[in-house]
Amino acid sequence: MLKKYKTILEQAEAEISEKKSRFIATVRPVKTEEEARAFIEEMKKKYWDATHNVFAYQIGERNEIQRFSDDGEPQGTAGMPILNVLKGEDIKDTAIVVTRYFGGTLLGTGGLVRAYGKSAKEGLLAAGIAELVLYGRYHVTVPYTESGKVQYEILQAGHVLHDTIYTDQVQFVVLVEAEQEEAFTKQMTDVLKGKQATEKVDALFGVWQNGSLSLLEA
């Protein structure tokens, strides 16, 4: 299982115009090639009267599945620029269909490459690229007298201080990236001079979008 990757979470759509041609990008999260193909067929039926329905998708932890089609556009001018956007951002488990309604003016090969690439980027922006990070969720429970230095150490190490609960003691709810968990538990043991105040509660994915964090179960 990947511990950190980028994807999209919801379907979205964006449209641009180039020399009176309409380019409509529809993006959707997909987990399998079957899902991707079903999505492409759905878009072809929806936009049955379009000049082209160009697609690309990238699926798998190591992007094992990469497919694209120019759907009648000159070879290399449509599907590959869309796939290159996914590859360039390393966005996983995502399919994009860009629908073109021809406006009467030829764009040339360079113009097509730019238009399809720009459409794909706009579609991804509309969906909102999400970075998923696997965290261990920890409770660190300490007396009030120790809370200041513990909070300082947590934040200095770059961990996410997700919540602070005040009772007769102070309990910090800390999200620690999977690869840093061993170092974190050692750090807390050192700070608290061997006291066992740190407990791992569970593991879960944090979803970062536009600087804000939400949580998903792993």
Side-chain angles (χ1 to χ4, degrees):
M1 181 171 59
L2 287 174
K3 296 176 181 178
K4 184 184 289 189
Y5 64 98
K6 289 191 287 187
T7 188
I8 62 167
L9 301 178
E10 297 178 349
Q11 180 169 320
E13 182 182 292
E15 181 175 337
I16 67 168
S17 295
E18 292 288 342
K19 295 183 179 178
K20 298 183 180 179
S21 279
R22 293 173 62 206
F23 293 84
I24 305 164
T26 310
V27 301
R28 180 182 291 180
V30 291
K31 290 293 187 184
T32 65
E33 193 157 20
E34 290 74 22
E35 285 185 22
R37 292 192 177 281
F39 165 58
I40 292 160
E41 289 306 311
E42 182 184 323
M43 291 299 102
K44 285 182 176 180
K45 288 177 182 176
K46 179 178 179 180
Y47 297 112
W48 60 271
D49 59 339
T51 318
H52 306 279
N53 284 293
V54 174
F55 71 80
Y57 55 86
Q58 179 164 266
I59 301 170
E61 289 191 3
R62 294 173 179 78
N63 307 323
E64 298 93 330
I65 301 172
Q66 295 177 335
R67 303 280 188 271
F68 69 92
S69 168
D70 293 314
D71 193 38
E73 293 281 30
Q75 184 176 357
T77 64
M80 182 57 80
I82 298 171
L83 181 60
N84 283 340
V85 171
L86 292 171
K87 290 166 64 177
E89 294 280 352
D90 195 19
I91 297 172
K92 302 180 184 302
D93 298 342
T94 299
I96 303 176
V97 176
V98 177
T99 301
R100 182 188 184 191
Y101 286 91
F102 182 55
T105 302
L106 295 174
L107 299 183
T109 55
L112 288 172
V113 169
R114 287 190 294 273
Y116 279 105
K118 181 179 178 182
S119 298
K121 288 180 182 177
E122 291 296 327
L124 291 172
L125 286 172
I129 298 170
E131 183 175 40
L132 274 68
V133 181
L134 181 61
Y135 289 111
R137 178 159 46 188
Y138 286 82
H139 287 172
V140 183
T141 307
V142 296
Y144 280 81
T145 54
E146 311 233 32
S147 62
K149 68 178 180 182
V150 170
Q151 179 175 315
Y152 174 81
E153 292 291 338
I154 290 168
L155 295 175
Q156 277 293 106
H159 305 305
V160 178
L161 183 52
H162 186 62
D163 199 4
T164 305
I165 301 165
Y166 299 97
T167 55
D168 58 327
Q169 298 192 89
V170 180
Q171 184 177 83
F172 297 109
V173 181
V174 188
L175 304 178
V176 182
E177 289 194 31
E179 293 177 352
Q180 299 174 10
E181 289 185 72
E182 187 177 338
F184 171 72
T185 54
K186 183 181 184 304
Q187 177 192 22
M188 290 296 101
T189 300
D190 291 346
V191 170
L192 296 167
K193 297 181 172 58
K195 296 175 187 173
Q196 296 302 310
T198 305
E199 175 192 7
K200 183 174 181 178
V201 179
D202 56 11
L204 73 174
F205 275 104
V207 182
W208 289 95
Q209 273 185 305
N210 301 318
S212 63
L213 173 68
S214 57
L215 301 179
L216 294 174
E217 295 305 317

